[in-house]
Amino acid sequence: MKFLKFWLPLIIWSGLIFYASSMPADTPILRWLDILSSYAGHFFEFMVLALLSFRAFNNSFPKWGVRNVFYAGSFSILFAVSDEIHQAFVPTRFCSGSDILVDVLGVGFAFFLLRLRHRRYT
């Protein structure tokens, strides 16, 4: 049950990112959801991914402490890089270093928010 509660949201969110990345850029849903291909969309997608991954790691391995931040951040950044590489193989899409940078900034912002939250409750 712990798996479903903490890991399933992360798996679903990762799957949604992968699915959106596998659609050609001229797909009507991507034109309709233009924010998914903008920098704000990348920032938001990977901020949420980092928060979900931290939640999964932190609740599954509570004794790891600050290592959960490292593992969740590493997972999120590696996913961002693999997502951009994946897009290089999708027609009308391409791999972009600036997208990876925005993804990493979203991950960093997620941990900034977690730090603010932690500071507020301690």
Side-chain angles (χ1 to χ4, degrees):
M1 196 53 115
K2 193 179 220 183
F3 173 82
L4 291 177
K5 184 176 180 181
F6 297 115
W7 289 93
L8 191 59
L10 175 61
I11 292 168
I12 290 171
W13 189 256
S14 300
L16 288 172
I17 292 173
F18 185 84
Y19 178 72
S21 295
S22 66
M23 288 190 267
D26 57 355
T27 302
I29 192 166
L30 283 184
R31 278 187 263 135
W32 183 73
L33 297 171
D34 189 45
I35 194 165
L36 287 176
S37 61
S38 70
Y39 288 133
H42 276 268
F43 187 90
F44 177 77
E45 285 175 20
F46 284 89
M47 179 188 72
V48 172
L49 183 75
L51 291 171
L52 289 173
S53 62
F54 176 76
R55 179 178 174 263
F57 278 104
N58 201 46
N59 285 291
S60 296
F61 311 104
K63 293 182 181 177
W64 284 5
V66 75
R67 284 188 283 177
N68 287 326
V69 172
F70 174 77
Y71 291 128
S74 296
F75 168 79
S76 300
I77 291 169
L78 288 172
F79 193 88
V81 171
S82 69
D83 182 57
E84 287 301 316
I85 292 169
H86 167 244
Q87 285 184 33
F89 298 99
V90 176
T92 71
R93 302 292 291 265
F94 57 93
C95 182
S96 169
S98 61
D99 284 352
I100 294 172
L101 178 62
V102 173
D103 297 343
V104 170
L105 290 173
V107 170
F109 187 71
F111 292 117
F112 172 73
L113 292 176
L114 287 170
R115 178 70 179 143
L116 285 180
R117 181 175 172 251
H118 176 73
R119 199 184 257 177
R120 195 170 116 200
Y121 290 111
T122 57

